[in-house]
Amino acid sequence: MTLQEKTAQLFGVWVGASDEGGEVAPYQHEMEEPPELDELLPHGLGQLTRPFGTAPVDPALGALSLMRTQRRIAAANRFGIPAMAHEECLAGFAAWGATAYPVPLSWGAAFDPALVRRMAAAIGRDMRSVGVHQGLAPVLDVVRDARWGRVEETIGEDPYLVASIGTAYVQGLQSAGIIATLKHFAGYSASRAGRNLAPVGVGARELADVILPPFEMAVRDGRPGSVMHAYTDTDGIPSAADESLLTELLRDTWGFNGTVVADYFGIAFLKTLHGVAGSWGEAAGAALAAGVDVELPTVKTFGRALLDEIAAGRVPEELVDRALRRVLVQKAELGLLDADWSATPAVLVEPDPADPRALRGTVDLDPAENRALAGEMAEQAVVLLSNDGTLPLSRPARIALIGPNADEPTAVLGCYAFPVHVGGQHPDTPLGIELPTLREALAAEFPDSELVTARGATVDGAGTEGFAEAVELARSADVVVLALGDRAGLFGRGTSGEGCDVESLDLPGVQQQLLDALLDAGTPLVLTLLAGRPYALGRAPGEAAAIVQAFFPGEEGTRAVAGVLSGRVNPSGRLPVSVPCRPGVQPSTYLAARLAQATEVSSTDPTPAYGFGHGLTYTDFEWSDLVVDAALTATDGEFELALTVRNTGLRAGVEVVQVYLHDPVASVVQPVQRLVGYLRVPLAAGEASRVRVTVPADLASFTGRDGTRIVEPGELELRLGAASTDPRLTAAVVLTGPVRRLDHTRRLHATFTLSAEPTL
């Protein structure tokens, strides 16, 4: 291959599929001028960026457009190499008409890796069926500051929860033949003050023990095909130019052998935002040397600028060869280099239709089985924060549904769902999927109740002129369902989403004032939150009849919420992030050392209103009969515990057994507790299960003073609880023997087994 043919495999071109079935066209983006395909294609092309996710396109015609373009690409270069096509898939395939699943924060709330794995496999099958090869998910950033706009895209604030759920997503997506892309590597969510792209100031120990473990587990257990670097710099070193991160740790230590792709425009940002490169060529050389293989979304630095640097002797061609080898190996694994490769995707029975218009409407990316899966995920993710007995509602005669999210179809979607991410720029195009509003879902769930509705206020506006009508409706009703929360958007066009960071965790706009006015009305009030982050809720924890939290629960989300309100669904979600008591105590998560919690030497109190792992149900569970089979073990051993969980209520339900480790004395400061394992335990009324847990000593490891991971001898507590704030049983255990050093081959999981106990 010539040098230009080599570099052509190392970048993408941002395109949009034709809604008439013709070839894709380069996308005119505000940050870049589109390249001329006729000039690029004779040398080849590495990637096609978001052919389905750039503008609304019928899926069948989009598949036809992509197929025709791939034929053109392969025919234009002398090796016949097609491009890889990638798309966003954060909460479902980001394409017009594709299923909108709950956002990742809801995956965390479900505490169910197996369900996430099934969902990801379904997403992957849809993407593969139309010719896509790579998905830009999952996000493995650990929440460190809930003011950050991208909290909705994360799985939660605990590294083990993020790791286990994220790894399941990787496994599911790749089982369908789609390359998963871990992002954002690493530290993106720890930016100062929760600001998007702001510098990251974490220390080496926080990086090693909080930020990196989800990536480490996903690389080891999920074997992802790709990793995307973060935009941010950590202690002055941008991730895109960090060889110690992208090569020494990721490849040399962890054994990753896929491709590292740039976050969009991230290599150019080395020049324009970070100021560590003086030219596009310097930026390209720095990224290649660090270990970035592919420039996305389109060619900027890896084109002529890189060629000039190599010609001048400033960038060795060997770096291009290294990246090229990784790209071509990946294409070979996908079958793109096979002699019998075909550009025809599975959905196109007739690859060369006489009339492409006849294909319109023939491909369904939101079939009934997808909607059922989205509904299952939504139902498991709804969290009941509080309940004075008002829920489930018992056929109220008159329900007042009030709030800015009461009758808004997109209130259930995050910022990377297609109708929000792209559809908002095409207001005359139908949404493409059914999005029942909460009003419609409640009307169907309570057919015998009179349902009256008032908006009261907008999501983020300052107007209070709707308060009077809302209060009047509330006083005339048997119960108020108040629908508050967020509007997803991008870069300040929403209250949650990329670039929608906030200064405090007050509810947006005048929603808190509306909440207070309706609490004063005196009618029992069920606060229902459709949001992308946790908010301080003012008086509601002490005065609302019930609080229901749903994190952008997707296209079936309002039906799931309605089911929880009626009792058709027994809630089983648990908080993946703490809900603050006060709006101004960030950054603060449950994963905190003693001095990061409430103390007598500070006037601020970060104690949450509802802690990580919290969630109520409509039944009761009794925890008992804790037995510790091995309370004393060596630093290379394991602890064996067993307990009984019994459903003592009158209906079936799910308890989530959570295991937290408390290390009272360590050589470096530790969080008071951290999650090391969990299990959903479904039980019928009166049913009991014996839960056996094996906790390896490796899970007590942390980064010691010399920067290596160690397990120290000493006393520990294993707290078995229904939440971080609700320990039920505690096992006092002891590690004996010498300090033990560990590496990336250590054990990462506690193991659980269930056996039935006699039913009472």
Side-chain angles (χ1 to χ4, degrees), residues 306-328:
L306 177 57
L307 294 173
D308 290 346
E309 288 294 296
I310 295 171
R314 290 188 289 268
V315 173
E317 188 173 344
E318 289 78 13
L319 292 179
V320 172
D321 292 341
R322 181 179 72 173
L324 174 67
R325 187 176 300 110
R326 295 165 182 165
V327 168
L328 292 181

Side-chain angles (χ1 to χ4, degrees), residues 488-741:
L490 291 165
F491 306 114
R493 295 189 292 271
T495 60
S496 174
E498 185 173 0
C500 296
D501 314 314
V502 295
E503 295 179 359
S504 82
L505 295 182
D506 284 309
L507 284 163
V510 296
Q511 292 185 61
Q512 184 64 57
Q513 293 95 304
L514 177 62
L515 169 58
D516 291 343
L518 293 172
L519 287 172
D520 290 340
T523 303
L525 183 146
V526 177
L527 175 57
T528 303
L529 295 152
L530 300 172
R533 63 161 64 85
Y535 284 105
L537 303 175
R539 295 161 49 190
E543 298 182 37
I547 304 175
V548 176
Q549 175 78 66
F551 296 109
F552 288 146
E555 63 182 37
E556 288 292 317
T558 57
R559 292 189 177 114
V561 169
V564 168
L565 298 185
S566 72
R568 173 176 55 82
V569 175
N570 191 353
S572 62
R574 302 294 187 267
L575 283 175
V577 286
S578 304
V579 172
C581 185
R582 298 166 183 82
V585 296
Q586 292 295 307
S588 177
T589 76
Y590 100 98
L591 201 68
R594 297 175 194 177
L595 287 176
Q597 301 187 358
T599 69
E600 295 180 355
V601 296
S602 174
S603 58
T604 63
D605 183 355
T607 303
Y610 305 102
F612 174 85
H614 171 79
L616 305 179
T617 76
Y618 294 147
T619 190
D620 297 303
F621 296 96
E622 178 185 86
W623 299 42
S624 64
D625 303 325
L626 174 64
V627 173
V628 183
D629 293 335
L632 192 71
T633 193
T635 52
D636 62 352
E638 59 189 27
F639 301 109
E640 299 279 352
L641 301 85
L643 67 149
T644 297
V645 178
R646 185 179 300 277
N647 183 349
T648 59
L650 301 177
R651 61 178 294 174
V654 175
E655 181 66 293
V656 180
V657 174
Q658 302 165 42
V659 182
Y660 294 89
L661 185 142
H662 169 61
D663 188 348
V665 179
S667 58
V668 300
V669 174
Q670 293 294 292
V672 171
Q673 59 181 336
R674 54 187 172 89
L675 185 73
V676 295
Y678 60 88
L679 182 70
R680 288 175 61 92
V681 182
L683 294 169
E687 187 180 12
S689 281
R690 191 69 176 164
V691 183
R692 299 185 182 279
V693 190
T694 301
V695 181
D698 292 16
L699 299 188
S701 68
F702 56 87
T703 301
R705 293 191 177 199
D706 64 355
T708 62
R709 182 169 289 277
I710 59 173
V711 176
E712 293 180 333
E715 298 178 353
L716 302 172
E717 287 182 5
L718 294 173
R719 299 172 176 176
L720 299 104
S724 63
T725 51
D726 185 12
R728 300 293 178 88
L729 300 168
T730 299
V733 295
V734 178
L735 286 171
T736 62
V739 172
R740 177 166 155 258
R741 299 187 183 277

Side-chain angles (χ1 to χ4, degrees), residues 250-585:
L250 180 63
R251 295 189 184 278
D252 299 343
T253 300
W254 291 351
F256 174 74
N257 59 8
T259 57
V260 173
V261 301
D263 203 345
Y264 285 12
F265 311 107
I267 300 176
F269 287 169
L270 295 177
K271 175 181 182 291
T272 60
L273 298 184
H274 292 295
V276 297
S279 67
W280 304 129
E282 284 185 19
L288 265 181
V292 179
D293 303 309
V294 180
E295 181 178 26
L296 299 178
T298 198
V299 58
K300 178 66 175 182
T301 69
F302 276 16
R304 175 49 55 189
L306 177 57
L307 294 173
D308 290 346
E309 288 294 296
I310 295 171
R314 290 188 289 268
V315 173
E317 188 173 344
E318 289 78 13
L319 292 179
V320 172
D321 292 341
R322 181 179 72 173
L324 174 67
R325 187 176 300 110
R326 295 165 182 165
V327 168
L328 292 181
V329 165
Q330 197 158 78
K331 288 191 173 185
E333 291 171 345
L334 289 166
L336 298 181
L337 305 187
D338 293 352
D340 61 350
W341 169 80
S342 171
T344 306
V347 297
L348 293 183
V349 178
E350 184 181 356
D352 294 294
D355 183 6
R357 294 173 298 179
L359 291 175
R360 191 178 298 276
T362 61
V363 173
D364 185 2
L365 295 180
D366 189 30
E369 56 269 28
N370 281 18
R371 292 197 72 95
L373 187 55
E376 185 178 356
M377 176 62 76
E379 289 179 359
Q380 289 198 14
V382 175
V383 185
L384 180 61
L385 296 183
S386 69
N387 184 21
D388 67 1
T390 297
L391 295 183
L393 297 177
S394 180
R395 301 179 66 181
R398 184 178 171 91
I399 301 172
L401 174 61
I402 298 169
N405 283 336
D407 202 20
E408 175 53 57
T410 58
V412 293
L413 302 180
C415 78
Y416 270 82
F418 188 89
V420 173
H421 196 75
V422 177
Q425 303 165 43
H426 303 269
D428 296 330
T429 301
L431 291 174
I433 53 176
E434 181 190 357
L435 290 175
T437 68
L438 187 57
R439 178 187 62 79
E440 292 167 337
L442 289 182
E445 194 77 28
F446 297 94
D448 298 327
S449 299
E450 180 187 3
L451 182 64
V452 293
T453 306
R455 193 177 190 189
T458 61
V459 167
D460 56 350
T464 60
E465 58 273 11
F467 281 23
E469 179 193 8
V471 169
E472 183 179 353
L473 282 185
R475 287 173 175 159
S476 70
D478 297 293
V479 65
V480 173
V481 175
L482 178 59
L484 303 181
D486 280 315
R487 183 186 68 255
L490 291 165
F491 306 114
R493 295 189 292 271
T495 60
S496 174
E498 185 173 0
C500 296
D501 314 314
V502 295
E503 295 179 359
S504 82
L505 295 182
D506 284 309
L507 284 163
V510 296
Q511 292 185 61
Q512 184 64 57
Q513 293 95 304
L514 177 62
L515 169 58
D516 291 343
L518 293 172
L519 287 172
D520 290 340
T523 303
L525 183 146
V526 177
L527 175 57
T528 303
L529 295 152
L530 300 172
R533 63 161 64 85
Y535 284 105
L537 303 175
R539 295 161 49 190
E543 298 182 37
I547 304 175
V548 176
Q549 175 78 66
F551 296 109
F552 288 146
E555 63 182 37
E556 288 292 317
T558 57
R559 292 189 177 114
V561 169
V564 168
L565 298 185
S566 72
R568 173 176 55 82
V569 175
N570 191 353
S572 62
R574 302 294 187 267
L575 283 175
V577 286
S578 304
V579 172
C581 185
R582 298 166 183 82
V585 296

